[in-house]
mmCIF file of all heavy atoms in Angstrom:
data_model
loop_
_atom_site.group_PDB
_atom_site.id
_atom_site.type_symbol
_atom_site.label_atom_id
_atom_site.label_comp_id
_atom_site.label_asym_id
_atom_site.label_seq_id
_atom_site.Cartn_x
_atom_site.Cartn_y
_atom_site.Cartn_z
ATOM 1 N N ARG A 28 66.206 59.145 77.538
ATOM 2 C CA ARG A 28 65.153 60.098 77.921
ATOM 3 C C ARG A 28 64.333 59.579 79.092
ATOM 4 O O ARG A 28 64.026 60.331 80.023
ATOM 5 C CB ARG A 28 64.257 60.405 76.705
ATOM 6 C CG ARG A 28 64.975 61.340 75.756
ATOM 7 C CD ARG A 28 64.368 61.429 74.380
ATOM 8 N NE ARG A 28 65.337 62.129 73.524
ATOM 9 C CZ ARG A 28 65.454 62.002 72.231
ATOM 10 N NH1 ARG A 28 64.638 61.183 71.576
ATOM 11 N NH2 ARG A 28 66.374 62.673 71.563
ATOM 12 N N GLY A 31 66.362 59.987 82.035
ATOM 13 C CA GLY A 31 66.333 61.385 82.470
ATOM 14 C C GLY A 31 65.097 61.684 83.303
ATOM 15 O O GLY A 31 65.161 62.432 84.286
ATOM 16 N N VAL A 32 63.978 61.091 82.909
ATOM 17 C CA VAL A 32 62.750 61.239 83.698
ATOM 18 C C VAL A 32 62.971 60.644 85.092
ATOM 19 O O VAL A 32 62.645 61.258 86.111
ATOM 20 C CB VAL A 32 61.555 60.546 82.996
ATOM 21 C CG1 VAL A 32 60.339 60.507 83.906
ATOM 22 C CG2 VAL A 32 61.218 61.243 81.686
ATOM 23 N N ASP A 39 63.420 65.199 92.481
ATOM 24 C CA ASP A 39 62.174 65.686 93.084
ATOM 25 C C ASP A 39 61.958 65.051 94.463
ATOM 26 O O ASP A 39 61.591 65.726 95.423
ATOM 27 C CB ASP A 39 61.014 65.346 92.143
ATOM 28 C CG ASP A 39 59.685 65.876 92.632
ATOM 29 O OD1 ASP A 39 59.000 65.178 93.402
ATOM 30 O OD2 ASP A 39 59.327 66.997 92.255
ATOM 31 N N ILE A 43 61.951 68.169 96.722
ATOM 32 C CA ILE A 43 60.671 68.850 96.558
ATOM 33 C C ILE A 43 59.492 68.102 97.175
ATOM 34 O O ILE A 43 58.586 68.702 97.713
ATOM 35 C CB ILE A 43 60.404 68.983 95.025
ATOM 36 C CG1 ILE A 43 61.276 70.070 94.407
ATOM 37 C CG2 ILE A 43 58.949 69.222 94.722
ATOM 38 C CD1 ILE A 43 60.797 71.468 94.692
ATOM 39 N N PRO A 45 56.460 66.302 98.889
ATOM 40 C CA PRO A 45 55.916 66.319 100.252
ATOM 41 C C PRO A 45 56.120 64.956 100.923
ATOM 42 O O PRO A 45 56.097 63.929 100.251
ATOM 43 C CB PRO A 45 54.425 66.602 100.048
ATOM 44 C CG PRO A 45 54.145 66.450 98.600
ATOM 45 C CD PRO A 45 55.432 66.476 97.856
ATOM 46 N N LYS A 46 56.318 64.988 102.235
ATOM 47 C CA LYS A 46 56.720 63.740 102.906
ATOM 48 C C LYS A 46 55.640 62.655 102.852
ATOM 49 O O LYS A 46 55.939 61.476 102.876
ATOM 50 C CB LYS A 46 57.145 64.029 104.343
ATOM 51 C CG LYS A 46 56.058 64.592 105.240
ATOM 52 C CD LYS A 46 56.589 64.884 106.642
ATOM 53 C CE LYS A 46 55.458 65.472 107.492
ATOM 54 N NZ LYS A 46 55.862 65.964 108.782
ATOM 55 N N GLY A 47 54.369 63.092 102.720
ATOM 56 C CA GLY A 47 53.293 62.098 102.672
ATOM 57 C C GLY A 47 53.264 61.271 101.391
ATOM 58 O O GLY A 47 52.487 60.330 101.282
ATOM 59 N N ALA A 48 54.113 61.641 100.422
ATOM 60 C CA ALA A 48 54.081 60.952 99.129
ATOM 61 C C ALA A 48 55.116 59.829 99.029
ATOM 62 O O ALA A 48 55.275 59.236 97.958
ATOM 63 C CB ALA A 48 54.280 61.960 98.003
ATOM 64 N N ASN A 51 53.860 56.269 97.762
ATOM 65 C CA ASN A 51 53.455 56.356 96.371
ATOM 66 C C ASN A 51 54.659 56.517 95.453
ATOM 67 O O ASN A 51 54.755 55.871 94.417
ATOM 68 C CB ASN A 51 52.508 57.544 96.210
ATOM 69 C CG ASN A 51 52.500 58.040 94.796
ATOM 70 O OD1 ASN A 51 52.087 57.327 93.900
ATOM 71 N ND2 ASN A 51 52.999 59.240 94.570
ATOM 72 N N ARG A 52 55.603 57.377 95.851
ATOM 73 C CA ARG A 52 56.730 57.638 94.974
ATOM 74 C C ARG A 52 57.547 56.379 94.728
ATOM 75 O O ARG A 52 58.025 56.132 93.619
ATOM 76 C CB ARG A 52 57.610 58.762 95.537
ATOM 77 C CG ARG A 52 58.841 59.105 94.685
ATOM 78 C CD ARG A 52 58.471 59.518 93.262
ATOM 79 N NE ARG A 52 57.589 60.663 93.224
ATOM 80 C CZ ARG A 52 57.993 61.912 93.169
ATOM 81 N NH1 ARG A 52 59.273 62.187 93.119
ATOM 82 N NH2 ARG A 52 57.112 62.883 93.138
ATOM 83 N N LYS A 54 56.489 53.449 94.536
ATOM 84 C CA LYS A 54 55.760 52.645 93.543
ATOM 85 C C LYS A 54 55.889 53.243 92.141
ATOM 86 O O LYS A 54 56.017 52.516 91.163
ATOM 87 C CB LYS A 54 54.283 52.551 93.929
ATOM 88 C CG LYS A 54 54.047 51.665 95.142
ATOM 89 C CD LYS A 54 52.603 51.745 95.604
ATOM 90 C CE LYS A 54 52.410 51.045 96.949
ATOM 91 N NZ LYS A 54 51.143 51.466 97.580
ATOM 92 N N GLN A 55 55.846 54.567 92.066
ATOM 93 C CA GLN A 55 56.016 55.208 90.751
ATOM 94 C C GLN A 55 57.409 54.930 90.176
ATOM 95 O O GLN A 55 57.560 54.625 88.996
ATOM 96 C CB GLN A 55 55.796 56.722 90.868
ATOM 97 C CG GLN A 55 54.343 57.110 91.126
ATOM 98 C CD GLN A 55 54.142 58.608 91.246
ATOM 99 O OE1 GLN A 55 55.075 59.347 91.527
ATOM 100 N NE2 GLN A 55 52.914 59.057 91.036
ATOM 101 N N GLU A 65 62.421 46.559 80.969
ATOM 102 C CA GLU A 65 61.817 45.929 79.773
ATOM 103 C C GLU A 65 62.510 46.399 78.495
ATOM 104 O O GLU A 65 62.804 45.614 77.609
ATOM 105 C CB GLU A 65 60.330 46.329 79.646
ATOM 106 C CG GLU A 65 59.359 45.548 80.500
ATOM 107 C CD GLU A 65 57.981 46.232 80.527
ATOM 108 O OE1 GLU A 65 57.626 46.934 79.548
ATOM 109 O OE2 GLU A 65 57.277 46.085 81.555
ATOM 110 N N LYS A 66 62.730 47.709 78.409
ATOM 111 C CA LYS A 66 63.364 48.274 77.212
ATOM 112 C C LYS A 66 64.804 47.759 77.068
ATOM 113 O O LYS A 66 65.283 47.529 75.963
ATOM 114 C CB LYS A 66 63.398 49.804 77.284
ATOM 115 C CG LYS A 66 62.040 50.455 77.398
ATOM 116 C CD LYS A 66 61.515 50.900 76.063
ATOM 117 C CE LYS A 66 60.079 51.379 76.182
ATOM 118 N NZ LYS A 66 59.362 51.319 74.906
ATOM 119 N N ASP A 235 71.057 78.762 83.269
ATOM 120 C CA ASP A 235 70.001 78.546 82.273
ATOM 121 C C ASP A 235 69.818 77.062 81.997
ATOM 122 O O ASP A 235 68.815 76.641 81.428
ATOM 123 C CB ASP A 235 70.354 79.234 80.951
ATOM 124 C CG ASP A 235 70.042 80.711 81.012
ATOM 125 O OD1 ASP A 235 69.382 81.140 81.981
ATOM 126 O OD2 ASP A 235 70.481 81.439 80.096
ATOM 127 N N ARG A 238 70.069 74.295 88.143
ATOM 128 C CA ARG A 238 69.499 74.912 89.340
ATOM 129 C C ARG A 238 70.379 74.564 90.530
ATOM 130 O O ARG A 238 71.155 73.623 90.487
ATOM 131 C CB ARG A 238 68.126 74.315 89.658
ATOM 132 C CG ARG A 238 67.044 74.560 88.669
ATOM 133 C CD ARG A 238 65.767 73.877 89.147
ATOM 134 N NE ARG A 238 65.445 74.242 90.509
ATOM 135 C CZ ARG A 238 64.680 75.279 90.862
ATOM 136 N NH1 ARG A 238 64.131 76.025 89.927
ATOM 137 N NH2 ARG A 238 64.447 75.564 92.128
ATOM 138 N N GLY A 250 68.001 65.701 84.999
ATOM 139 C CA GLY A 250 67.668 64.717 83.987
ATOM 140 C C GLY A 250 68.361 64.862 82.652
ATOM 141 O O GLY A 250 68.083 64.088 81.729
ATOM 142 N N HIS A 251 69.303 65.807 82.524
ATOM 143 C CA HIS A 251 69.871 66.045 81.195
ATOM 144 C C HIS A 251 70.997 67.070 81.313
ATOM 145 O O HIS A 251 70.980 67.899 82.226
ATOM 146 C CB HIS A 251 68.770 66.594 80.269
ATOM 147 C CG HIS A 251 69.087 66.522 78.814
ATOM 148 N ND1 HIS A 251 69.444 67.631 78.081
ATOM 149 C CD2 HIS A 251 69.104 65.482 77.959
ATOM 150 C CE1 HIS A 251 69.653 67.261 76.821
ATOM 151 N NE2 HIS A 251 69.459 65.964 76.716
ATOM 152 N N THR A 253 71.231 69.656 79.807
ATOM 153 C CA THR A 253 70.621 70.992 79.779
ATOM 154 C C THR A 253 69.771 71.229 81.023
ATOM 155 O O THR A 253 69.051 72.221 81.096
ATOM 156 C CB THR A 253 69.718 71.177 78.537
ATOM 157 O OG1 THR A 253 68.657 70.204 78.582
ATOM 158 C CG2 THR A 253 70.503 71.014 77.263
ATOM 159 N N ASP A 254 69.821 70.314 81.972
ATOM 160 C CA ASP A 254 68.978 70.403 83.166
ATOM 161 C C ASP A 254 69.721 69.739 84.334
ATOM 162 O O ASP A 254 69.343 68.672 84.803
ATOM 163 C CB ASP A 254 67.636 69.704 82.883
ATOM 164 C CG ASP A 254 66.618 69.919 83.990
ATOM 165 O OD1 ASP A 254 66.945 70.608 84.976
ATOM 166 O OD2 ASP A 254 65.500 69.388 83.875
ATOM 167 N N ARG A 256 71.089 69.685 88.114
ATOM 168 C CA ARG A 256 70.600 70.227 89.378
ATOM 169 C C ARG A 256 71.526 69.857 90.531
ATOM 170 O O ARG A 256 71.636 68.697 90.889
ATOM 171 C CB ARG A 256 69.179 69.715 89.628
ATOM 172 C CG ARG A 256 68.255 70.074 88.467
ATOM 173 C CD ARG A 256 66.829 69.652 88.697
ATOM 174 N NE ARG A 256 66.017 70.017 87.534
ATOM 175 C CZ ARG A 256 64.694 69.942 87.491
ATOM 176 N NH1 ARG A 256 64.036 69.524 88.563
ATOM 177 N NH2 ARG A 256 64.035 70.278 86.406
ATOM 178 N N ARG B 23 50.522 54.920 87.819
ATOM 179 C CA ARG B 23 51.819 55.360 88.366
ATOM 180 C C ARG B 23 52.658 56.051 87.306
ATOM 181 O O ARG B 23 53.288 57.079 87.572
ATOM 182 C CB ARG B 23 52.556 54.164 88.969
ATOM 183 C CG ARG B 23 51.946 53.792 90.304
ATOM 184 C CD ARG B 23 52.310 52.432 90.829
ATOM 185 N NE ARG B 23 51.423 52.144 91.950
ATOM 186 C CZ ARG B 23 51.072 50.939 92.367
ATOM 187 N NH1 ARG B 23 51.558 49.860 91.766
ATOM 188 N NH2 ARG B 23 50.250 50.789 93.384
ATOM 189 N N GLY B 26 51.259 59.332 86.836
ATOM 190 C CA GLY B 26 51.675 60.208 87.929
ATOM 191 C C GLY B 26 53.066 60.789 87.686
ATOM 192 O O GLY B 26 53.332 61.949 87.989
ATOM 193 N N VAL B 27 53.944 59.967 87.121
ATOM 194 C CA VAL B 27 55.281 60.452 86.758
ATOM 195 C C VAL B 27 55.150 61.552 85.706
ATOM 196 O O VAL B 27 55.751 62.628 85.817
ATOM 197 C CB VAL B 27 56.156 59.296 86.221
ATOM 198 C CG1 VAL B 27 57.456 59.833 85.639
ATOM 199 C CG2 VAL B 27 56.438 58.273 87.319
ATOM 200 N N ASP B 34 56.912 69.955 87.004
ATOM 201 C CA ASP B 34 58.310 70.391 87.026
ATOM 202 C C ASP B 34 58.575 71.371 85.877
ATOM 203 O O ASP B 34 59.228 72.400 86.058
ATOM 204 C CB ASP B 34 59.213 69.155 86.906
ATOM 205 C CG ASP B 34 60.685 69.482 86.993
ATOM 206 O OD1 ASP B 34 61.296 69.778 85.947
ATOM 207 O OD2 ASP B 34 61.222 69.454 88.105
ATOM 208 N N ILE B 38 59.649 74.537 87.817
ATOM 209 C CA ILE B 38 61.009 74.336 88.309
ATOM 210 C C ILE B 38 62.068 74.349 87.209
ATOM 211 O O ILE B 38 63.156 74.858 87.394
ATOM 212 C CB ILE B 38 61.079 72.934 88.997
ATOM 213 C CG1 ILE B 38 60.391 72.953 90.353
ATOM 214 C CG2 ILE B 38 62.487 72.426 89.112
ATOM 215 C CD1 ILE B 38 61.188 73.614 91.451
ATOM 216 N N PRO B 40 64.828 74.572 84.437
ATOM 217 C CA PRO B 40 65.570 75.688 83.837
ATOM 218 C C PRO B 40 65.166 75.871 82.371
ATOM 219 O O PRO B 40 64.848 74.899 81.684
ATOM 220 C CB PRO B 40 67.039 75.266 83.957
ATOM 221 C CG PRO B 40 67.053 73.843 84.341
ATOM 222 C CD PRO B 40 65.704 73.468 84.847
ATOM 223 N N LYS B 41 65.195 77.107 81.913
ATOM 224 C CA LYS B 41 64.638 77.375 80.587
ATOM 225 C C LYS B 41 65.413 76.690 79.451
ATOM 226 O O LYS B 41 64.846 76.367 78.419
ATOM 227 C CB LYS B 41 64.518 78.881 80.344
ATOM 228 C CG LYS B 41 65.831 79.640 80.355
ATOM 229 C CD LYS B 41 65.603 81.140 80.163
ATOM 230 C CE LYS B 41 66.948 81.862 80.150
ATOM 231 N NZ LYS B 41 66.829 83.304 80.200
ATOM 232 N N GLY B 42 66.700 76.447 79.693
ATOM 233 C CA GLY B 42 67.506 75.794 78.651
ATOM 234 C C GLY B 42 67.133 74.346 78.399
ATOM 235 O O GLY B 42 67.637 73.724 77.464
ATOM 236 N N ALA B 43 66.259 73.786 79.240
ATOM 237 C CA ALA B 43 65.927 72.362 79.113
ATOM 238 C C ALA B 43 64.661 72.108 78.299
ATOM 239 O O ALA B 43 64.224 70.967 78.184
ATOM 240 C CB ALA B 43 65.791 71.741 80.499
ATOM 241 N N ASN B 46 64.850 69.419 75.369
ATOM 242 C CA ASN B 46 65.049 68.091 75.917
ATOM 243 C C ASN B 46 63.792 67.588 76.602
ATOM 244 O O ASN B 46 63.395 66.442 76.446
ATOM 245 C CB ASN B 46 66.212 68.138 76.904
ATOM 246 C CG ASN B 46 66.111 67.044 77.927
ATOM 247 O OD1 ASN B 46 66.176 65.871 77.581
ATOM 248 N ND2 ASN B 46 65.901 67.411 79.182
ATOM 249 N N ARG B 47 63.136 68.461 77.370
ATOM 250 C CA ARG B 47 61.982 68.020 78.142
ATOM 251 C C ARG B 47 60.858 67.536 77.226
ATOM 252 O O ARG B 47 60.191 66.548 77.522
ATOM 253 C CB ARG B 47 61.496 69.138 79.066
ATOM 254 C CG ARG B 47 60.259 68.798 79.894
ATOM 255 C CD ARG B 47 60.475 67.552 80.774
ATOM 256 N NE ARG B 47 61.551 67.707 81.690
ATOM 257 C CZ ARG B 47 61.435 68.199 82.927
ATOM 258 N NH1 ARG B 47 60.260 68.546 83.380
ATOM 259 N NH2 ARG B 47 62.502 68.287 83.697
ATOM 260 N N LYS B 49 61.185 66.098 74.482
ATOM 261 C CA LYS B 49 61.551 64.743 74.031
ATOM 262 C C LYS B 49 61.341 63.714 75.135
ATOM 263 O O LYS B 49 60.921 62.585 74.885
ATOM 264 C CB LYS B 49 63.014 64.721 73.571
ATOM 265 C CG LYS B 49 63.221 65.446 72.246
ATOM 266 C CD LYS B 49 64.707 65.550 71.907
ATOM 267 C CE LYS B 49 64.917 66.472 70.717
ATOM 268 N NZ LYS B 49 66.325 66.922 70.631
ATOM 269 N N GLN B 50 61.668 64.094 76.362
ATOM 270 C CA GLN B 50 61.455 63.169 77.489
ATOM 271 C C GLN B 50 59.969 62.878 77.671
ATOM 272 O O GLN B 50 59.571 61.728 77.888
ATOM 273 C CB GLN B 50 62.034 63.769 78.780
ATOM 274 C CG GLN B 50 63.567 63.788 78.807
ATOM 275 C CD GLN B 50 64.118 64.390 80.089
ATOM 276 O OE1 GLN B 50 63.436 65.123 80.802
ATOM 277 N NE2 GLN B 50 65.373 64.085 80.383
ATOM 278 N N GLU B 60 51.802 52.712 74.477
ATOM 279 C CA GLU B 60 52.061 51.262 74.281
ATOM 280 C C GLU B 60 51.302 50.427 75.309
ATOM 281 O O GLU B 60 50.697 49.412 74.992
ATOM 282 C CB GLU B 60 53.558 50.955 74.469
ATOM 283 C CG GLU B 60 54.439 51.225 73.264
ATOM 284 C CD GLU B 60 55.927 51.184 73.652
ATOM 285 O OE1 GLU B 60 56.282 50.468 74.610
ATOM 286 O OE2 GLU B 60 56.719 51.897 73.007
ATOM 287 N N LYS B 61 51.377 50.866 76.574
ATOM 288 C CA LYS B 61 50.708 50.119 77.646
ATOM 289 C C LYS B 61 49.181 50.143 77.448
ATOM 290 O O LYS B 61 48.505 49.169 77.762
ATOM 291 C CB LYS B 61 51.030 50.739 79.014
ATOM 292 C CG LYS B 61 52.502 50.768 79.346
ATOM 293 C CD LYS B 61 52.897 49.579 80.187
ATOM 294 C CE LYS B 61 54.421 49.526 80.353
ATOM 295 N NZ LYS B 61 54.896 48.185 80.697
ATOM 296 N N ASP B 230 51.284 68.143 104.096
ATOM 297 C CA ASP B 230 52.089 66.913 104.131
ATOM 298 C C ASP B 230 51.875 66.096 102.867
ATOM 299 O O ASP B 230 52.658 65.184 102.558
ATOM 300 C CB ASP B 230 51.698 66.048 105.330
ATOM 301 C CG ASP B 230 52.346 66.550 106.604
ATOM 302 O OD1 ASP B 230 53.239 67.420 106.506
ATOM 303 O OD2 ASP B 230 51.958 66.083 107.686
ATOM 304 N N ARG B 233 51.935 70.762 97.985
ATOM 305 C CA ARG B 233 52.809 71.936 97.991
ATOM 306 C C ARG B 233 52.075 73.100 97.342
ATOM 307 O O ARG B 233 51.106 72.906 96.624
ATOM 308 C CB ARG B 233 54.052 71.695 97.127
ATOM 309 C CG ARG B 233 54.980 70.635 97.555
ATOM 310 C CD ARG B 233 56.137 70.537 96.545
ATOM 311 N NE ARG B 233 56.719 71.833 96.303
ATOM 312 C CZ ARG B 233 57.741 72.339 96.994
ATOM 313 N NH1 ARG B 233 58.292 71.645 97.963
ATOM 314 N NH2 ARG B 233 58.224 73.545 96.710
ATOM 315 N N GLY B 245 51.462 64.402 91.110
ATOM 316 C CA GLY B 245 51.402 63.063 90.564
ATOM 317 C C GLY B 245 50.559 62.071 91.319
ATOM 318 O O GLY B 245 50.541 60.898 90.949
ATOM 319 N N HIS B 246 49.836 62.508 92.369
ATOM 320 C CA HIS B 246 49.141 61.507 93.195
ATOM 321 C C HIS B 246 48.319 62.233 94.255
ATOM 322 O O HIS B 246 48.668 63.357 94.628
ATOM 323 C CB HIS B 246 50.188 60.608 93.879
ATOM 324 C CG HIS B 246 49.645 59.338 94.435
ATOM 325 N ND1 HIS B 246 49.437 59.142 95.782
ATOM 326 C CD2 HIS B 246 49.246 58.195 93.830
ATOM 327 C CE1 HIS B 246 48.951 57.929 95.980
ATOM 328 N NE2 HIS B 246 48.827 57.324 94.812
ATOM 329 N N THR B 248 48.471 61.818 97.223
ATOM 330 C CA THR B 248 49.359 62.131 98.347
ATOM 331 C C THR B 248 50.423 63.156 97.946
ATOM 332 O O THR B 248 51.352 63.427 98.709
ATOM 333 C CB THR B 248 50.078 60.870 98.865
ATOM 334 O OG1 THR B 248 50.862 60.323 97.792
ATOM 335 C CG2 THR B 248 49.089 59.826 99.343
ATOM 336 N N ASP B 249 50.310 63.697 96.744
ATOM 337 C CA ASP B 249 51.327 64.621 96.229
ATOM 338 C C ASP B 249 50.645 65.616 95.285
ATOM 339 O O ASP B 249 50.821 65.561 94.077
ATOM 340 C CB ASP B 249 52.412 63.821 95.499
ATOM 341 C CG ASP B 249 53.609 64.667 95.116
ATOM 342 O OD1 ASP B 249 53.612 65.871 95.403
ATOM 343 O OD2 ASP B 249 54.553 64.106 94.510
ATOM 344 N N ARG B 251 49.908 69.343 93.974
ATOM 345 C CA ARG B 251 50.693 70.573 93.892
ATOM 346 C C ARG B 251 49.889 71.695 93.251
ATOM 347 O O ARG B 251 49.578 71.635 92.068
ATOM 348 C CB ARG B 251 51.976 70.291 93.116
ATOM 349 C CG ARG B 251 52.752 69.144 93.747
ATOM 350 C CD ARG B 251 54.070 68.876 93.073
ATOM 351 N NE ARG B 251 54.755 67.748 93.710
ATOM 352 C CZ ARG B 251 55.999 67.396 93.458
ATOM 353 N NH1 ARG B 251 56.707 68.087 92.591
ATOM 354 N NH2 ARG B 251 56.542 66.367 94.077
#
Side-chain angles (χ1 to χ4, degrees):
Chain A
R28 284 165 192 153
V32 171
D39 183 272
I43 285 283
K46 63 182 179 188
N51 156 64
R52 179 58 59 90
K54 289 172 189 163
Q55 290 180 339
E65 279 167 28
K66 301 264 172 203
D235 280 349
R238 295 179 52 90
H251 196 255
T253 61
D254 188 0
R256 303 183 181 189
Chain B
R23 284 164 192 154
V27 171
D34 183 272
I38 285 284
K41 62 182 181 190
N46 155 64
R47 178 58 60 90
K49 288 173 190 162
Q50 289 180 340
E60 278 167 28
K61 301 264 172 202
D230 280 349
R233 296 179 51 91
H246 196 256
T248 60
D249 189 0
R251 304 184 181 189

